[in-house]
Amino acid sequence: MELSKFREEFFRKYGNRTDDPVIFFCPGRLNLIGEHTDYNKGFVLPCALNFGTYLLVRKRNDDRLLLNTMNFDFSDSQSTGSIKKNESGQWVNYPLGVISEYLDRGIKPGGMEMLFYGDIPNGAGLSSSASIEMVTAYAVNELFKAGLSIPEMVKLSQHAENTFVGMNCGIMDQFAVGMGEKGKAIFLNCGTLNYDVIPVELRNYQIVISNTNKRRGLTGSKYNERRGECEKAVKYLRSKIHIDHLSQLSINDLHLLDELIPDETVRKRARHVITENNRVLQAVNVLHKGDLINFGKLMNESHDSLRNDYEVTGKELDAIVYEAREIDGTLGSRMTGAGFGGCSVSIVARSRINSFIEKLGKAYTSATGLKAEFYLPTIEDGVRQI
Ligand code: GLA
């Protein structure tokens, strides 16, 4: 999308060409490793991408809030004094939820004309939701001088998604799109929110995102089911040990799962969380050494654990990941995001990218009847004004 077209559309919708709107951008995120660990207060290693959500916004003199997007037909108009959720689950709930969180904190934004445009594929596990939340949070903060730091906006946005939108997500997505840095992954401890940035030096390799184009059906209900199973695991473990969350256990404590968790499903869920935390720690180590070969192996192990122990992959993600691993030049491949559809991430030799896309595209279609899409992203900075 050219910015000039975006601005044209803004003026077509809202008029008054003399008063310029401000433009903000928030990326989507790609999680490299550390899946379904964030709500268990564990480790994650995501990064911010070069595609995301743009917001053109201009203040009004009254309290009207006008919301439009280039992506969907639905638009909305509300008063900032009395924000109402859209009960049919429209996209406006993301910005409305964020604005309503500002109100709950005693910060009253005035009226705004807002036009959004996103180039993150929807429902693909690349955090289009966190991106639209954080671009709104950042814009409101700047325009109305609310004085929040980015980590505060991250928490505000996650809270909006949990309470206003009704999706019980963890903190990873908002943190990654808020705090992302060019060329670096964010190694985040979701329990303390302490983080470190880790250089991702790909040299002759490239990150490839493969979209299964299978919409993440059931994400909400299955996601909450997994959260519930992790809570059950903690309850079982608390019969003998004092913990509040699974990430307080390390890889040396795995035997406790066999001893204290009688339910096999619950035991498997806990095993994934503990082994995945350990894989993130190892991944950070190998990335520091520039060892992409072992990084790729850890990605593979992560997917296998998400498939066998956490059971959030499904036919399409398994097909795209296991076919990818068969292709020469692939160092590793795993699902990314919540699972049940969406995207995979692979590390592939640059010289093999074309044949990777061609071979994987064909193999995936013959395995599933669906057509995959491929993106070659770069790792970029988090939310900002442009
Ligand atoms: C979704 C959620 C995140 C995280 C991932 C799984 O993307 O929004 O908080 O739980 O799933 O790792």
Side-chain angles (χ1 to χ4, degrees):
M1 159 80 81
E2 284 165 38
L3 287 184
S4 59
K5 284 204 186 127
F6 193 29
R7 287 166 59 83
E8 272 308 303
E9 185 61 18
F10 184 92
F11 290 122
R12 208 179 61 74
K13 288 223 149 54
Y14 299 124
N16 180 11
R17 287 167 181 275
T18 52
D19 199 356
D20 249 358
V22 188
I23 181 158
F24 296 92
F25 173 75
C26 183
R29 71 96 185 87
L30 174 68
N31 190 18
L32 296 175
I33 194 161
E35 218 65 83
H36 288 278
T37 46
D38 65 347
Y39 52 81
N40 288 300
K41 306 209 183 302
F43 300 122
V44 293
L45 192 67
C47 55
L49 297 172
N50 54 324
F51 40 84
T53 312
Y54 297 81
L55 166 61
L56 267 174
V57 53
R58 188 168 63 187
K59 285 204 227 176
R60 289 173 61 91
N61 295 326
D62 56 17
D63 75 347
R64 295 309 294 165
L65 203 54
L66 307 180
L67 299 118
N68 272 287
T69 174
M70 309 279 285
N71 295 82
F72 304 105
D73 271 341
F74 187 84
S75 57
D76 201 4
S77 155
Q78 299 213 10
S79 144
T80 49
S82 61
I83 289 181
K84 287 184 206 65
K85 178 174 173 178
N86 176 285
E87 290 306 333
S88 56
Q90 283 290 346
W91 68 273
V92 290
N93 285 340
Y94 297 104
L96 290 175
V98 166
I99 294 166
S100 142
E101 284 288 326
Y102 272 102
L103 290 169
D104 291 350
R105 284 164 173 71
I107 301 161
K108 189 171 185 290
M112 283 176 277
E113 290 154 351
M114 309 177 101
L115 178 64
F116 292 88
Y117 167 70
D119 57 6
I120 309 175
N122 276 304
L126 301 175
S127 290
S128 53
S129 321
S131 172
I132 185 169
E133 288 157 8
M134 282 295 289
V135 81
T136 307
Y138 193 90
V140 168
N141 196 60
E142 290 295 306
L143 292 182
F144 298 98
K145 312 224 174 320
L148 298 194
S149 65
I150 294 187
E152 284 168 328
M153 291 178 223
V154 166
K155 288 188 216 158
L156 177 151
S157 296
Q158 183 206 13
H159 200 249
E161 183 149 351
N162 291 166
T163 56
F164 194 90
V165 178
M167 167 70 190
N168 209 10
C169 63
I171 194 117
M172 169 174 68
D173 304 348
Q174 290 79 7
F175 201 96
V177 303
M179 302 296 286
E181 284 188 27
K182 190 176 175 62
K184 315 244 167 70
I186 307 287
F187 170 39
L188 173 66
N189 177 332
C190 299
T192 59
L193 296 192
N194 289 335
Y195 76 101
D196 203 357
V197 291
I198 314 291
V200 181
E201 278 155 19
L202 291 163
R203 299 184 303 274
N204 296 331
Y205 289 85
Q206 163 81 47
I207 294 173
V208 182
I209 298 177
S210 311
N211 187 348
T212 60
N213 273 321
K214 153 101 169 108
R215 297 274 304 182
R216 297 168 307 157
L218 291 177
T219 310
S221 62
K222 289 282 176 196
Y223 187 89
N224 286 338
E225 189 181 292
R226 293 297 177 280
R227 284 192 74 137
E229 287 160 346
C230 292
E231 280 160 23
K232 264 195 195 160
V234 171
K235 272 198 194 136
Y236 279 125
L237 291 161
R238 280 169 71 108
S239 68
K240 281 274 161 50
I241 54 172
H242 297 293
I243 56 162
D244 298 317
H245 51 81
L246 284 175
S247 302
Q248 284 169 282
L249 299 185
S250 82
I251 199 78
N252 301 323
D253 299 319
L254 276 181
H255 63 98
L256 290 173
L257 308 186
D258 295 329
E259 288 161 32
L260 301 176
I261 305 183
D263 178 329
E264 200 203 329
T265 306
V266 172
R267 195 160 63 231
K268 280 173 25 173
R269 306 301 188 242
R271 186 165 63 205
H272 165 74
V273 174
I274 294 167
T275 58
E276 185 76 352
N277 277 329
N278 189 54
R279 280 185 287 273
V280 177
L281 294 176
Q282 293 183 60
V284 168
N285 256 327
V286 300
L287 266 192
H288 272 309
K289 293 183 200 142
D291 177 359
L292 292 177
I293 295 185
N294 277 308
F295 189 77
K297 285 189 184 149
L298 290 162
M299 290 172 75
N300 291 348
E301 287 170 21
S302 165
H303 184 90
D304 298 347
S305 174
L306 287 157
R307 172 178 184 262
N308 302 329
D309 279 350
Y310 219 66
E311 297 179 276
V312 290
T313 57
K315 176 176 141 200
E316 295 78 9
L317 279 169
D318 286 336
I320 214 152
V321 160
Y322 293 115
E323 294 289 355
R325 289 189 200 166
E326 296 302 310
I327 300 171
D328 265 0
T330 307
L331 292 185
S333 187
R334 62 181 289 277
M335 58 155 266
T336 185
F340 309 106
C343 291
S344 71
V345 49
S346 310
I347 309 279
V348 183
R350 281 187 205 278
S351 58
R352 303 292 176 104
I353 298 288
N354 291 342
S355 83
F356 177 91
I357 292 175
E358 199 198 315
K359 284 188 183 151
L360 185 54
K362 278 192 190 142
Y364 177 70
T365 301
S366 68
T368 62
L370 296 172
K371 198 168 164 1
E373 274 173 284
F374 299 92
Y375 322 112
L376 304 176
T378 54
I379 300 179
E380 301 295 335
D381 286 333
V383 65
R384 57 200 183 263
Q385 182 172 340
I386 52 177

